[in-house]
Amino acid sequence: MARNADMRLKEKIIEKVLAVCALITILTTVGIVLILTIEAISFFREVSIVEFLTSTRWTPLFTQKSYGILPLLSGTFLTTVIAISVALPVGLTIAIYLNEYASNTFRSILKPLLEILAVVPTVVYGFFALMIVTPFLKTFIPELSGFNALSAGLVMGIMIIPFVSSLSEDALSSVPYSLREASFGMGSTKFQTAFRVMVPAASSGIIVSAILAVSRAIGETMIVAIAAGQQPRFTLDPTVPIETITAYIVQVSMGDVPHGSTAYQTIFAAGITLFIFTFILNNISYWIKARYQEDYE
């Protein structure tokens, strides 16, 4: 009896600890949203939300101030598109190779090597883009600026390749083996089976990996802060310096802007804009995953 009582007591303690951990996570999220919302409301009392959403000039740190978020959004969009254009085809190709062609021995070697890309500090990626990738690209694109969206986007894409490949490989692995056998039974080659059977069957998981990779690229900070420059431009030209939302937040957070000023509050307006985009993307991926699981069941 005493032993059973001790077991029940330990289980209750573990249950309470787990509940507290879950509660801390929820409270942290709520706290972040509240701070962003309160500070953003204070900002929009001083600045028109119409100007914020429609103006193509972002100069809150200049004498002639303008608060249009579109230049930061265009910079974020540009680097994200470049990054996902690199990460998605390369990551998906790696996933297909690991799942369909690689031997178990080679897979056990390659997967850990890919994971190394995910643990390299983003500061290192930033200097790699600035000091190596940009000079290399200048040999082909002489008009390329020293700070540009192209180098930052390419290196960001390299960084999130393991993200795409790992999630896509998991999606491919979850496809029932009977589909592969049926394809081979119909006379399909391994290549045809991979691209005409396995990839369509795992499309929901692959789409989720792409959406989550986009969210990761949107939230990246140090690569764009170091290699893309800090010049907000409303442009889609990848050869010129741009500024993303995260890079601007870093710039203002350096301490040169007085706390409580309208210029300082811009980081909260930019932050809540970034939060809304990533929140929408994460919920879309969750919805796709949940629908796929329902269809599979």
Side-chain angles (χ1 to χ4, degrees):
M1 292 291 293
R3 185 175 180 180
N4 291 336
D6 289 341
M7 289 290 292
R8 285 196 295 269
L9 178 61
K10 290 179 181 178
E11 289 179 357
K12 286 186 178 296
I13 293 173
I14 294 173
E15 181 182 346
K16 297 299 182 184
V17 170
L18 294 175
V20 169
C21 291
L23 185 62
I24 290 173
T25 304
I26 295 171
L27 291 177
T28 301
T29 304
V30 172
I32 292 171
V33 174
L34 282 177
I35 291 173
L36 286 175
T37 303
I38 292 170
E39 295 292 339
I41 290 173
S42 299
F43 170 78
F44 287 119
R45 288 195 181 114
E46 303 292 332
V47 177
S48 168
I49 192 170
V50 175
E51 177 190 357
F52 181 77
L53 295 176
T54 59
S55 176
T56 57
R57 295 184 70 245
W58 179 261
T59 56
L61 307 181
F62 292 13
T63 303
Q64 294 184 344
K65 300 183 183 300
S66 182
Y67 299 97
I69 195 69
L70 289 179
L72 298 185
L73 287 177
S74 68
T76 303
F77 173 78
L78 182 58
T79 54
T80 300
V81 168
I82 295 171
I84 203 66
S85 298
V86 173
L88 185 57
V90 175
L92 182 56
T93 301
I94 292 172
I96 292 171
Y97 176 76
L98 289 175
N99 191 72
E100 296 295 321
Y101 294 95
S103 64
N104 292 332
T105 302
F106 187 73
R107 187 185 298 113
S108 65
I109 296 173
L110 183 59
K111 289 197 74 172
L113 291 177
L114 283 172
E115 297 301 327
I116 292 176
L117 292 176
V119 300
V120 174
T122 55
V123 174
V124 176
Y125 278 116
F127 281 107
F128 174 73
L130 181 64
M131 305 302 296
I132 296 178
V133 176
T134 296
F136 174 75
L137 291 177
K138 276 190 172 183
T139 60
F140 304 99
I141 313 173
E143 67 274 14
L144 187 69
S145 174
F147 297 98
N148 59 85
L150 182 59
S151 298
L154 289 175
V155 174
M156 196 189 306
I158 294 172
M159 181 193 68
I160 61 177
I161 283 174
F163 198 81
V164 176
S165 63
S166 178
L167 292 176
S168 297
E169 205 267 332
D170 290 341
L172 290 167
S173 298
S174 66
V175 175
Y177 193 77
S178 57
L179 289 179
R180 184 186 287 106
E181 291 180 329
S183 177
F184 289 144
M186 295 293 291
S188 299
T189 64
K190 184 172 286 190
F191 181 85
Q192 291 172 326
T193 300
F195 285 92
R196 295 185 180 181
V197 177
M198 301 300 292
V199 171
S203 59
S204 296
I206 293 170
I207 292 171
V208 168
S209 73
I211 294 174
L212 293 178
V214 169
S215 296
R216 177 67 182 88
I218 289 175
E220 174 52 37
T221 303
M222 293 311 300
I223 295 176
V224 290
I226 293 172
Q230 295 182 344
Q231 299 180 27
R233 281 189 173 93
F234 185 57
T235 180
L236 294 179
D237 183 359
T239 64
V240 299
I242 53 92
E243 188 168 37
T244 65
I245 294 176
T246 52
Y248 174 76
I249 293 173
V250 169
Q251 180 185 5
V252 175
S253 301
M254 300 274 299
D256 297 331
V257 179
H259 283 233
S261 64
T262 303
Y264 183 78
Q265 288 176 331
T266 55
I267 65 174
F268 297 101
I272 199 167
T273 304
L274 182 68
F275 175 81
I276 290 171
F277 275 103
T278 54
F279 179 79
I280 291 172
L281 287 172
N282 288 340
N283 276 275
I284 289 174
S285 66
Y286 178 80
W287 176 78
I288 292 174
K289 183 179 179 181
R291 183 169 181 178
Y292 167 75
Q293 289 177 339
E294 289 176 2
D295 292 342
Y296 182 74
E297 291 173 356

